[in-house]
Amino acid sequence: MSLSVALIGATGYTGLEVARLLTHHPHAELAIATARAEAGKPIASVHPSLAGRLDLELEELDPVRIGKRCDVAMCCLPHAASAETVRRLVDVGVRVIDFSADFRLSSLRVYESWYGVKHPWPERVGKTVYGLPEFFAEEIAGADVVANPGCYPTSAILPLAPLIREGLIRGDDIIIDSKSGVSGAGRSAKVGTLYCETNESIAAYAVGCHRHQPEIEDLVGRIAGREIEALFTPHLTPMSRGILSTIYVRPSEGLAAESASGSTADGSTDPAVDRVMQSWRDCYAGSPFVTPVDHLPATAHVAGTNYVQMSVRRAGERLVLLSAIDNLSKGASGAAVQNMNVMFGYDQQSGLG
Amino acid sequence: MSLSVALIGATGYTGLEVARLLTHHPHAELAIATARAEAGKPIASVHPSLAGRLDLELEELDPVRIGKRCDVAMCCLPHAASAETVRRLVDVGVRVIDFSADFRLSSLRVYESWYGVKHPWPERVGKTVYGLPEFFAEEIAGADVVANPGCYPTSAILPLAPLIREGLIRGDDIIIDSKSGVSGAGRSAKVGTLYCETNESIAAYAVGCHRHQPEIEDLVGRIAGREIEALFTPHLTPMSRGILSTIYVRPSEGLAAESASGSTADGSTDPAVDRVMQSWRDCYAGSPFVTPVDHLPATAHVAGTNYVQMSVRRAGERLVLLSAIDNLSKGASGAAVQNMNVMFGYDQQSGLG
Amino acid sequence: MSLSVALIGATGYTGLEVARLLTHHPHAELAIATARAEAGKPIASVHPSLAGRLDLELEELDPVRIGKRCDVAMCCLPHAASAETVRRLVDVGVRVIDFSADFRLSSLRVYESWYGVKHPWPERVGKTVYGLPEFFAEEIAGADVVANPGCYPTSAILPLAPLIREGLIRGDDIIIDSKSGVSGAGRSAKVGTLYCETNESIAAYAVGCHRHQPEIEDLVGRIAGREIEALFTPHLTPMSRGILSTIYVRPSEGLAAESASGSTADGSTDPAVDRVMQSWRDCYAGSPFVTPVDHLPATAHVAGTNYVQMSVRRAGERLVLLSAIDNLSKGASGAAVQNMNVMFGYDQQSGLG
Amino acid sequence: MSLSVALIGATGYTGLEVARLLTHHPHAELAIATARAEAGKPIASVHPSLAGRLDLELEELDPVRIGKRCDVAMCCLPHAASAETVRRLVDVGVRVIDFSADFRLSSLRVYESWYGVKHPWPERVGKTVYGLPEFFAEEIAGADVVANPGCYPTSAILPLAPLIREGLIRGDDIIIDSKSGVSGAGRSAKVGTLYCETNESIAAYAVGCHRHQPEIEDLVGRIAGREIEALFTPHLTPMSRGILSTIYVRPSEGLAAESASGSTADGSTDPAVDRVMQSWRDCYAGSPFVTPVDHLPATAHVAGTNYVQMSVRRAGERLVLLSAIDNLSKGASGAAVQNMNVMFGYDQQSGLG
């Protein structure tokens, strides 16, 4: 029997991506999709790509009804509003994958200072698993609530965490220069994301003050058991989907020493580069979606998939780590399906390309 | 001494293009730019590309002040609102180039039925020159108000009008399939023109019911002295600027007969095609921006310029006319500058690339 | 047990799309992929998006080896070269889906005149099923060779054929104005399809002389049992994938009479439009991918899928048919997988989004 | 009387941009355009956007003829080939603006090791002015040969040089993360820059080993009188034109101390940020194209112009400098026209938007 899934907040791009992925899923089915302003309309009227593929009427959010019909809910609401809804869903026995930032951070204080709101369910902050199955699969399997990771954090944590944990790189000199497609800005009508504003243009935004910076620092710290400090600069890039993160780090003294003594007689490889690749291969041996590659990854290589391509280059005294993901898939809805798979005992790759 | 220009409604894409063009103009200068919601801010805060290039504060619309300081106003307001403003500007002695559709059509009845509003200055409908200097330069030179043409109409009238006037093609079997860049939809925040909605996608809209259809029929009729009927289908195309019109017509009996007897001994040319090219060359000999070409025009060939490239191919019993313009330049703001040049006795090409 | 598939000519965009689709297919697996110039390299070196997803070495074409290992071959070679290879594969007992135009047309004479080559296997011309399962599923099921349809033809035949067959529209006044993404031009290095040549630009090409015109006429004629003549104009559109066809037709006398007497008391519907929608619904009731829709289809609505969205509008005396497909999926590789599913008795939708 | 200009190597994007800019120039005219493979054809056959705007026949390179007819040559040939041609042109008395890297670097050894060729005119290496009029206007005015700057270097040198010269930032911890439009890769047919390879995708290339890295280090060093070391990573971005450079630097001890004592009582400004802005304003007071701005610059803000927008943000202990240019204009052909203006005593802005 199929899992029955509720999608809360179905009108945005992450909602569409969830719906799209579930039309392919062998073990799950979208049973309820909510959207306050559009309740009563067919979902295809909001997402015309679903015409003929998904016959479902949008409805108002009704936790009791969801509790009766669904095993799991994917909650795509804005922060704070999300935590409230998550609480009501948990109360009626539905397991929840929360797309918001409400339960991602360890610290209530950090959350409230970066998000500027009072948290509606503070008891659960710091006590909710972060939905990165590459590190937290066991806890996800048993969780009632999973905090689905942010898109930029996914692209940064995956390359950084094992290297910090193994002490291969320094934690105090990390620069993350990320480039995201426009879908990351959501589907609400704003002049700044009109076609003619973003087409043929790239620009940085929120330099040094984006909310994903504390999330990256928090999670790498939790995974690696060592605090880090990162400078994070996101850029709006003229493409619909994808994140490329170019990450500038310094080898630790240990790795530097190791590299200095490494054999590069034939000049073809760099011991520090090899060591990073090895660390990634070891760490992600059981993770089907994380793919260390020799070539320089492009966002198009992972577009529409749940894969992460990661690579590394030496540049003078620094190492440059590069990672590419699809921000709507591994950066949001694909990760949610992957989490759902883990929560309900399916293969992580079920229904994911 | 320089012309002093007022720009009414400066925050949209046509407003920006006017401002940009005037920074290059050897004989005109932007003196006043109005924008209700942004009054008091520097124009560069709304259009960051003008930073360091145009130091002007946006202000509220004040016709009296404009009357004192400006020779000419470019009015980029929505229809109906525009006509009201044009009237007030004319009252204080300012000559006006109106970007709206308010004074383009010959018939008040047709205007009110297609635009669904009562016309605020009905006496001037049918008595205002249409700002296509290729046909109406003399009247434009003396006009107090010029109705700046619609973007699609410019791309259709220029190739069609001379052929209809000379009786080379039939007036009752015309299909205009136009493809426009997204800037044609304006700069207001709407989901439909968000980057992710229009990128990587082409779609028709307003099939057979777009307001530019009566404008095309009216103007070709006026210029050619013969009524025509046209089917017009616009498409939203994933690019910022440009219109390509692919126009399917049938040769008149006269041209068909002429062609049948024409010499194509060497197979290299088609007499009907030659006749169309000749008609265009004759008609536009004195028009610096209209360029009949042998190659198939692409919108990129005219992007950022006031030029029109037009070409023709034979396909079975039909002729296919193709025209490319930049919708914001020759389709709007470039045409307005061209009209201004004619109104004030400058070379048509002054300040235009 | 899985089907074993050979992919002949794996380096292009259709080859990549076949490989990608097969990584998801529940009943088929890519066993062999050939590429003359790249033999010996991993397929991911040519298609980096397959890194970590498909571990296969490209090899030289060896029909005997394919005969031993594979049930079916997808042949993505240029025309003429393809027919030669198809013949060799059939000789060793492999069933073939041929992406080229070599076996699509009924007439050898038409083929040789439009393609300018001598056909390498003329006996099979006119005796090979056309791979449109919506009309030829039974023959496809038993075929040794299936001629996979052209991309533009798919977008035109599906909306036209049922209407011609039912006598709803005239066969002698059809204009097909198609807009294709750039991937339709293939992956070989040419200046004309460089990013900077096609970005921000739309242009027509091969007006009235594209090779898909006779294919459309031939197939609609075969399906409907009535000859038609169509004017076909393709356009290169600044997007990677997708075809939108805007098709201008005239109702037949029968439909016109029927419509005139139809009830449109409430003004909300047009009887001719209803009749077209009904014809499509009847014709495609058993076809899971063909979706008549009320909205105007956009290529983004079907991107990455095997679906076809079709719509119709009345415009004066004409009807405007609109269809959207993904040129690489339903227009090529998706159709091939759909054909493979039919040939081997699987559900048409197996492995297709 | 107009300057007479020769354009050597007219078929690429920089050649087109030179030709386009000169059609607007009040004091210069394109007299000769050379292109080996296309000699004898009209320039518009290679650049259809010039149809009707520039009537010139491409010809073979003939230095003697250029010497007789032209005052100045713009040389858009590949490195090494360029130096040879520059020498021949200088021999016949033509002043040359060289777009290649042949005369940009101070050191022959560095040139030969990074470019992998023997320099054809080694005597001039280190003795040719670098064409950045913001720093070298006087030498440019008298030069027979000007080395037109690289595109990435322009975007990095302008924000960095004054800060290094004033000792505001450290020279040993500089990371330049640059994002370029695809036109930077030139107009030759290569798979890697096909539309479908670069559209919807961003990727790094030449990480830590791009030839513009030594150029940036060399020039900042020359201007500032202090050696620096920079890590440079270029990225191919899905847009035709533009470069955004995001530059991570550390304040010098001096600036750090100064900042610490600076007044930020109201929290609204950062003394280090103010100091950087002041340094730029002072340095570029007489430079019409360099525009320090408060907003975060986007490449679209400078597209099609010769302007440079630069901004700065504080992020933890680092400063983030951002600069946006049009790679074909200020990054190549616009800079060349600016250099020509300086060489012949015109206003720097003549003919530049």
Side-chain angles (χ1 to χ4, degrees):
Chain A
M1 227 206 62
S2 253
L3 275 183
S4 174
V5 184
L7 171 60
I8 316 297
T11 56
Y13 295 128
T14 53
L16 171 58
E17 187 72 1
V18 166
R20 187 181 79 80
L21 288 168
L22 291 182
T23 62
H24 299 163
H25 201 286
H27 310 301
E29 200 175 349
L30 190 56
I32 287 179
T34 81
R36 191 183 314 183
E38 316 283 341
K41 295 185 192 169
I43 194 168
S45 73
V46 171
H47 297 304
S49 63
L50 297 175
R53 301 169 64 189
L54 181 62
D55 190 15
L56 198 68
E57 195 172 282
L58 294 167
E59 47 187 88
E60 301 247 13
L61 173 62
D62 175 352
V64 176
R65 183 170 137 75
I66 292 172
K68 284 190 187 134
R69 297 209 35 204
C70 297
D71 305 292
V72 60
M74 308 234 176
C75 190
C76 304
L77 298 179
H79 63 85
S82 197
E84 297 231 38
T85 301
V86 170
R87 185 172 208 164
R88 294 166 67 197
L89 289 164
V90 169
D91 281 350
V92 295
V94 177
R95 299 172 77 181
V96 186
I97 298 162
D98 178 27
F99 283 57
S100 86
D102 287 347
F103 302 103
R104 293 181 195 154
L105 300 179
S106 310
S107 153
L108 184 62
R109 190 188 50 74
V110 173
Y111 174 87
E112 294 193 340
S113 102
W114 280 83
Y115 287 84
V117 291
K118 229 178 144 42
H119 199 292
W121 196 8
E123 299 78 15
R124 282 298 298 261
V125 175
K127 297 195 180 61
T128 304
V129 67
Y130 190 78
L132 209 52
E134 288 75 11
F135 291 105
F136 303 109
E138 208 169 317
E139 292 161 73
I140 292 166
D144 59 344
V145 180
V146 172
N148 210 49
C151 51
Y152 289 120
T154 295
S155 79
I157 296 164
L158 290 169
L160 284 171
L163 309 185
I164 292 285
R165 187 166 60 183
E166 288 197 57
L168 297 178
I169 59 173
R170 288 171 47 180
D172 62 349
D173 195 344
I174 298 174
I175 292 172
I176 304 164
D177 188 289
S178 294
K179 296 89 176 167
S180 172
V182 183
S183 60
R187 204 191 184 195
S188 55
K190 280 173 291 192
V191 169
T193 47
L194 289 178
Y195 186 86
C196 297
E197 302 291 315
T198 45
N199 183 41
E200 286 291 291
S201 197
I202 186 164
Y205 66 100
V207 179
C209 58
H210 191 282
R211 290 162 170 175
H212 284 174
Q213 181 169 317
E215 185 177 333
I216 294 167
E217 292 173 338
D218 185 347
L219 265 294
V220 172
R222 272 199 261 167
I223 294 167
R226 290 175 49 209
E227 295 215 346
I228 68 156
E229 240 180 280
L231 192 174
F232 170 59
T233 307
H235 296 76
L236 196 63
T237 309
M239 58 190 190
S240 291
R241 300 168 75 132
I243 288 177
L244 181 79
S245 286
T246 310
I247 307 175
Y248 300 91
V249 298
R250 284 190 194 271
S252 62
E253 281 182 33
L255 178 59
E258 202 181 306
S259 305
S261 66
S263 156
T264 49
D266 64 355
S268 66
T269 58
D270 181 291
V273 161
D274 291 348
R275 197 67 185 74
V276 166
M277 289 294 284
Q278 193 55 50
S279 167
W280 286 344
R281 279 194 217 100
D282 293 347
C283 178
Y284 298 116
S287 295
F289 295 114
V290 183
T291 311
V293 295
D294 291 325
H295 62 261
L296 290 168
T299 56
H301 299 157
V302 295
T305 83
N306 206 49
Y307 287 88
V308 183
Q309 292 197 357
M310 310 192 318
S311 195
V312 57
R313 291 290 183 277
R314 157 77 77 174
E317 289 179 5
R318 280 194 170 84
L319 294 169
V320 185
L321 317 178
L322 300 118
S323 73
I325 65 166
D326 181 316
N327 63 311
L328 289 181
S329 187
K330 182 60 178 166
S333 307
V337 170
Q338 187 185 357
N339 279 318
M340 182 187 75
N341 289 339
V342 174
M343 290 166 85
F344 292 89
Y346 300 115
D347 187 283
Q348 282 195 28
Q349 293 182 278
S350 285
L352 292 168
Chain B
M1 226 205 63
S2 253
L3 274 184
S4 174
V5 184
L7 171 59
I8 317 296
T11 56
Y13 295 127
T14 52
L16 171 57
E17 187 73 2
V18 166
R20 187 181 78 79
L21 287 169
L22 292 181
T23 63
H24 298 162
H25 201 287
H27 311 301
E29 201 173 349
L30 190 57
I32 289 179
T34 81
R36 192 181 316 180
E38 316 283 342
K41 295 186 192 166
I43 195 168
S45 74
V46 171
H47 297 302
S49 63
L50 297 176
R53 300 168 65 189
L54 180 63
D55 188 14
L56 197 68
E57 195 172 283
L58 294 168
E59 46 188 88
E60 301 246 13
L61 173 62
D62 175 351
V64 174
R65 182 168 138 76
I66 292 173
K68 283 187 188 137
R69 295 208 37 204
C70 297
D71 305 293
V72 60
M74 308 234 177
C75 189
C76 303
L77 298 179
H79 63 86
S82 197
E84 297 231 37
T85 302
V86 170
R87 185 172 207 162
R88 293 165 66 198
L89 290 164
V90 169
D91 281 350
V92 296
V94 177
R95 298 171 79 179
V96 187
I97 298 162
D98 178 26
F99 283 57
S100 86
D102 287 348
F103 301 103
R104 292 181 195 153
L105 300 180
S106 309
S107 153
L108 183 63
R109 190 188 50 74
V110 172
Y111 174 86
E112 296 193 340
S113 102
W114 280 83
Y115 287 84
V117 291
K118 232 182 139 42
H119 198 292
W121 196 7
E123 299 77 16
R124 282 301 296 261
V125 174
K127 298 195 179 60
T128 305
V129 66
Y130 190 79
L132 209 52
E134 287 76 9
F135 292 105
F136 303 109
E138 208 169 319
E139 290 161 73
I140 292 167
D144 59 345
V145 180
V146 171
N148 210 47
C151 51
Y152 289 121
T154 295
S155 79
I157 296 165
L158 289 170
L160 283 171
L163 309 185
I164 292 285
R165 187 166 60 183
E166 289 196 54
L168 298 178
I169 58 172
R170 286 170 51 179
D172 62 348
D173 196 346
I174 297 173
I175 291 172
I176 303 163
D177 188 289
S178 293
K179 297 90 177 166
S180 172
V182 183
S183 60
R187 204 189 184 196
S188 55
K190 280 172 291 191
V191 169
T193 47
L194 290 179
Y195 186 85
C196 297
E197 302 290 315
T198 45
N199 184 39
E200 286 291 291
S201 196
I202 186 166
Y205 66 99
V207 179
C209 59
H210 191 283
R211 288 160 170 174
H212 283 174
Q213 180 169 319
E215 185 177 333
I216 295 166
E217 291 173 339
D218 185 348
L219 265 295
V220 173
R222 272 199 260 168
I223 294 166
R226 288 175 49 209
E227 295 214 345
I228 68 155
E229 240 178 281
L231 192 173
F232 170 59
T233 307
H235 295 75
L236 198 63
T237 308
M239 56 190 193
S240 290
R241 299 168 76 133
I243 288 178
L244 181 78
S245 286
T246 311
I247 306 176
Y248 300 91
V249 298
R250 284 189 194 272
S252 62
E253 281 182 33
L255 178 59
E258 204 181 306
S259 307
S261 66
S263 157
T264 50
D266 65 355
S268 66
T269 57
D270 181 292
V273 161
D274 290 349
R275 196 67 186 72
V276 166
M277 289 294 284
Q278 194 54 50
S279 166
W280 285 344
R281 278 193 219 102
D282 293 347
C283 178
Y284 298 116
S287 294
F289 295 113
V290 184
T291 311
V293 295
D294 290 327
H295 62 261
L296 290 168
T299 57
H301 299 158
V302 295
T305 81
N306 206 48
Y307 287 88
V308 184
Q309 291 198 357
M310 311 193 316
S311 195
V312 56
R313 290 292 183 275
R314 156 76 77 171
E317 288 179 5
R318 280 193 171 84
L319 294 168
V320 185
L321 316 178
L322 300 117
S323 72
I325 64 167
D326 181 314
N327 62 310
L328 289 181
S329 185
K330 181 59 179 168
S333 308
V337 171
Q338 188 184 358
N339 280 316
M340 182 187 76
N341 288 339
V342 174
M343 288 165 85
F344 292 89
Y346 300 115
D347 186 283
Q348 283 195 26
Q349 293 180 277
S350 284
L352 292 169
Chain C
M1 227 203 62
S2 253
L3 274 184
S4 175
V5 184
L7 171 59
I8 315 297
T11 56
Y13 294 127
T14 53
L16 170 57
E17 187 72 3
V18 166
R20 187 182 78 81
L21 288 169
L22 292 181
T23 62
H24 298 164
H25 201 287
H27 311 301
E29 202 174 350
L30 190 56
I32 288 179
T34 80
R36 192 182 314 181
E38 315 284 340
K41 296 187 190 166
I43 194 168
S45 73
V46 171
H47 298 303
S49 63
L50 297 175
R53 301 168 65 190
L54 181 62
D55 188 16
L56 197 70
E57 195 173 282
L58 294 167
E59 47 188 86
E60 300 247 13
L61 173 61
D62 175 351
V64 174
R65 182 169 138 75
I66 291 172
K68 283 189 187 132
R69 296 211 34 204
C70 297
D71 306 292
V72 60
M74 308 234 177
C75 189
C76 304
L77 298 178
H79 63 86
S82 196
E84 298 230 39
T85 301
V86 171
R87 185 173 208 161
R88 293 166 66 198
L89 290 163
V90 169
D91 282 350
V92 294
V94 177
R95 297 172 79 181
V96 186
I97 298 162
D98 178 28
F99 283 57
S100 86
D102 287 348
F103 302 103
R104 292 181 194 153
L105 300 179
S106 309
S107 151
L108 183 62
R109 189 188 51 75
V110 172
Y111 173 86
E112 296 193 339
S113 101
W114 280 83
Y115 288 84
V117 291
K118 233 180 140 42
H119 198 292
W121 196 7
E123 299 77 14
R124 282 301 295 261
V125 175
K127 298 197 179 60
T128 305
V129 66
Y130 190 79
L132 209 52
E134 287 75 9
F135 292 104
F136 303 109
E138 208 168 318
E139 292 162 71
I140 292 166
D144 59 345
V145 179
V146 171
N148 210 47
C151 52
Y152 289 121
T154 294
S155 79
I157 296 165
L158 288 170
L160 284 171
L163 309 185
I164 293 284
R165 187 166 61 184
E166 288 197 55
L168 297 178
I169 58 172
R170 287 169 49 178
D172 61 348
D173 196 344
I174 298 173
I175 292 172
I176 303 164
D177 188 287
S178 294
K179 296 89 177 167
S180 173
V182 183
S183 60
R187 204 189 183 195
S188 55
K190 280 173 292 191
V191 169
T193 47
L194 289 178
Y195 186 85
C196 297
E197 303 289 317
T198 45
N199 183 40
E200 287 291 291
S201 197
I202 186 165
Y205 65 100
V207 180
C209 58
H210 191 282
R211 288 160 170 175
H212 283 174
Q213 181 169 316
E215 186 178 332
I216 295 167
E217 292 173 338
D218 185 347
L219 265 294
V220 173
R222 272 199 260 167
I223 294 167
R226 289 175 50 208
E227 294 214 345
I228 67 154
E229 240 179 281
L231 192 173
F232 171 58
T233 307
H235 295 76
L236 198 64
T237 308
M239 57 189 190
S240 290
R241 299 168 76 134
I243 288 177
L244 181 78
S245 287
T246 310
I247 307 176
Y248 300 91
V249 298
R250 286 188 193 272
S252 62
E253 282 182 32
L255 179 58
E258 204 181 305
S259 307
S261 66
S263 157
T264 50
D266 65 353
S268 67
T269 57
D270 181 292
V273 161
D274 290 348
R275 197 69 187 71
V276 166
M277 289 294 284
Q278 194 53 53
S279 167
W280 285 345
R281 280 195 216 101
D282 294 347
C283 179
Y284 298 116
S287 294
F289 294 113
V290 183
T291 311
V293 295
D294 290 327
H295 61 262
L296 290 168
T299 56
H301 298 157
V302 296
T305 82
N306 207 48
Y307 287 88
V308 183
Q309 292 198 356
M310 311 193 315
S311 194
V312 57
R313 290 292 182 275
R314 157 75 76 172
E317 289 178 6
R318 280 192 170 84
L319 293 169
V320 184
L321 317 178
L322 300 117
S323 73
I325 65 168
D326 181 315
N327 63 309
L328 289 181
S329 186
K330 182 59 180 168
S333 307
V337 170
Q338 187 185 357
N339 279 316
M340 182 188 77
N341 289 339
V342 174
M343 289 165 84
F344 292 90
Y346 299 116
D347 187 283
Q348 282 195 28
Q349 292 180 278
S350 286
L352 291 169
Chain D
M1 227 206 65
S2 252
L3 274 184
S4 175
V5 184
L7 171 60
I8 316 297
T11 56
Y13 294 129
T14 52
L16 171 58
E17 187 73 1
V18 166
R20 186 182 78 80
L21 288 169
L22 292 182
T23 62
H24 298 164
H25 201 287
H27 310 301
E29 200 174 351
L30 189 57
I32 288 179
T34 79
R36 192 183 313 181
E38 316 284 340
K41 294 185 192 168
I43 195 168
S45 74
V46 171
H47 297 303
S49 63
L50 297 175
R53 300 168 65 190
L54 181 62
D55 189 16
L56 197 68
E57 195 172 285
L58 295 167
E59 48 188 87
E60 301 248 12
L61 173 61
D62 175 352
V64 176
R65 183 169 137 76
I66 291 173
K68 284 190 186 135
R69 294 214 30 207
C70 297
D71 305 291
V72 59
M74 308 235 176
C75 189
C76 304
L77 298 179
H79 63 86
S82 197
E84 298 230 37
T85 302
V86 170
R87 184 171 208 164
R88 294 166 66 200
L89 289 164
V90 169
D91 282 350
V92 295
V94 177
R95 299 172 78 180
V96 186
I97 298 162
D98 179 27
F99 283 57
S100 86
D102 286 347
F103 302 103
R104 293 181 195 154
L105 300 178
S106 308
S107 152
L108 184 62
R109 190 189 49 74
V110 173
Y111 174 87
E112 294 192 342
S113 102
W114 279 84
Y115 288 85
V117 291
K118 232 183 139 40
H119 198 292
W121 196 9
E123 299 78 13
R124 281 300 295 262
V125 174
K127 298 196 181 60
T128 304
V129 67
Y130 191 78
L132 209 52
E134 287 76 11
F135 291 103
F136 302 109
E138 206 168 321
E139 291 161 73
I140 292 166
D144 59 344
V145 179
V146 172
N148 210 49
C151 51
Y152 288 120
T154 294
S155 79
I157 296 165
L158 289 170
L160 284 170
L163 309 185
I164 292 286
R165 188 166 59 184
E166 289 196 57
L168 298 178
I169 59 172
R170 287 171 47 181
D172 62 349
D173 196 344
I174 297 173
I175 292 173
I176 303 163
D177 188 288
S178 294
K179 298 89 176 166
S180 172
V182 184
S183 60
R187 203 189 184 196
S188 55
K190 280 174 291 192
V191 168
T193 46
L194 289 179
Y195 185 86
C196 297
E197 302 291 316
T198 46
N199 184 39
E200 287 290 291
S201 198
I202 186 165
Y205 66 100
V207 179
C209 58
H210 191 283
R211 290 162 170 172
H212 284 174
Q213 181 170 317
E215 185 177 333
I216 294 167
E217 292 173 338
D218 185 346
L219 266 293
V220 173
R222 272 198 260 167
I223 294 166
R226 290 175 49 210
E227 295 216 346
I228 68 156
E229 239 179 280
L231 192 172
F232 170 59
T233 308
H235 296 76
L236 197 63
T237 308
M239 57 190 191
S240 291
R241 299 169 77 134
I243 288 177
L244 181 78
S245 286
T246 310
I247 306 176
Y248 300 91
V249 298
R250 285 190 194 271
S252 62
E253 281 180 34
L255 178 59
E258 201 181 309
S259 307
S261 65
S263 156
T264 49
D266 64 353
S268 66
T269 57
D270 182 291
V273 161
D274 290 348
R275 195 72 184 72
V276 166
M277 288 294 284
Q278 193 54 51
S279 166
W280 287 343
R281 279 194 217 100
D282 293 347
C283 178
Y284 298 117
S287 295
F289 294 113
V290 183
T291 311
V293 294
D294 290 325
H295 62 262
L296 290 168
T299 56
H301 299 158
V302 295
T305 82
N306 206 50
Y307 287 88
V308 183
Q309 292 197 356
M310 311 194 318
S311 194
V312 57
R313 291 289 183 277
R314 156 77 75 172
E317 289 179 5
R318 280 193 170 84
L319 293 168
V320 185
L321 317 178
L322 300 118
S323 72
I325 64 166
D326 181 315
N327 63 310
L328 290 181
S329 185
K330 182 60 179 168
S333 308
V337 170
Q338 187 185 356
N339 279 317
M340 182 187 77
N341 289 338
V342 174
M343 290 166 83
F344 291 90
Y346 300 114
D347 186 282
Q348 282 195 28
Q349 292 180 279
S350 284
L352 291 169

